Amino acid sequence: MKIFRRTALVAALLGVTAVLSPTAAQAAAPPACGASAAPTAPGPAAAGASADPSAVRDPEQARLADPRTAAFADRAALGEFVRRFPAALCSARDAAEAGRILDAWGESLWQAAVNRAQGRRPGGDLAAGDDRPLYWTRLRMTVQLADWNPGFPVDRSALRTRFEDASRGLTTNDFRGTPGVRRLFVSGFDPFGLDTELRRANPSGSAVLQLNGRRLTLADGTPVEIRAVVLPVRYADFDAGIVERAYRPRLAAGPRGADMITSISQGYPGLFTLEAWAGRARSADPYPDNADALSGGTYAHPVTAPGLGPGAEFLRTTLPTDAMTAVQSPYPVLLNTEVSEIPAGQDSPVDRADGPTPGSRAVAGGGGGYLSNEVAYRSNRLRTELSPRLPGGHLHTPVLTGLPTDPKQLTGPAFEQNESAIAAEVLEVLRHSVPAVP
């Protein structure tokens, strides 16, 4: 199976239309197979495609109706993934093979995005570090998966999860385990808030694409290997355990486990913040996720996220914050100790500048009550369970600004300079994350 997957990955990286040879793929494809080659608008598949009549576009996929979304893949030289993915799907002869194909194409897309961000895959006129092509290419391919009409039964939800995990780095983030090299595991996020501004990027996603797989030198001269994933901005995926799937393997003991973890997301205008506290609650409504779903929790009435194991209402960062906040240029880096809580014996929330009080109920951590706070809580709750001495926490980047005023322009000099500056400072902050040697 490993040999097959390795071969499949190479095939997809080389741009082969199917995992099998073209002749074998043509012979193996079911006659009724169909998948739309260019998904755009919600509703029925493109003419000529034998789409599954039950396929429905979710709110995130429905944004593909905007023609600007197709340009992100094409202007980053990722368009071949969209054009050739349907033929690869149609080469599957059974559900097991379909799963392997989705693993291979997901991993290939992830590696292509990483290679592009790190200057190893030229093509297109968007900046190399732009995270948006990965997001919009993946989303278009999920529509093609939904439209695919194989000649055998499949679990579409499970197949999409496999593709999402693979295309987000979850299946290919093992550390090399080189003696003497520290190991740092980080996560970023997809773009979000797209109904307000479709062109938005997420500097946390850009930063981790540029960092994944690299070996760097910490401020004390110690070499470190960084592995990364990009997480979705969707409550349902968090409910289904994507954070735990991403972090659990890296929290195992041994040479392939991390020495430190940190989640990263976009936060406040003009500054970086290291969040001192992560809260156990969701309280961000009425602000929706990328699927237009709400959390069910508000500031006045927070809720606990589904699927959480036992843990304190608040978890404190164990990152070396004094060293990391030594970085102050071009953006200041601050330690944020603010939380929102319902004090013990009370019913109403209050904001506190100096952390939670004993016995209180969480309303929001320093990162609020949205998914940036939740990834910090979930990953560090798991850390306290599996590897409590490991440093861990959350870093918020500045808000990425600088998009051109003309909505037809997807990028511009100020936007690209700001994204590059934020990513460079993420690297510098992480270089200063020098924990004590265990």
Side-chain angles (χ1 to χ4, degrees), residues 82-95:
V82 177
R83 285 185 282 274
R84 298 185 175 188
F85 187 50
L89 288 173
C90 287
S91 73
R93 292 165 292 191
D94 54 41

Side-chain angles (χ1 to χ4, degrees), residues 331-370:
Y331 299 95
V333 182
L334 307 179
L335 177 63
N336 179 24
T337 59
E338 296 178 354
V339 299
S340 299
E341 66 174 13
I342 299 175
Q346 299 184 29
D347 298 322
S348 299
V350 297
D351 300 329
R352 293 186 55 84
D354 56 352
T357 56
S360 67
R361 181 185 174 194
V363 175
Y370 196 50

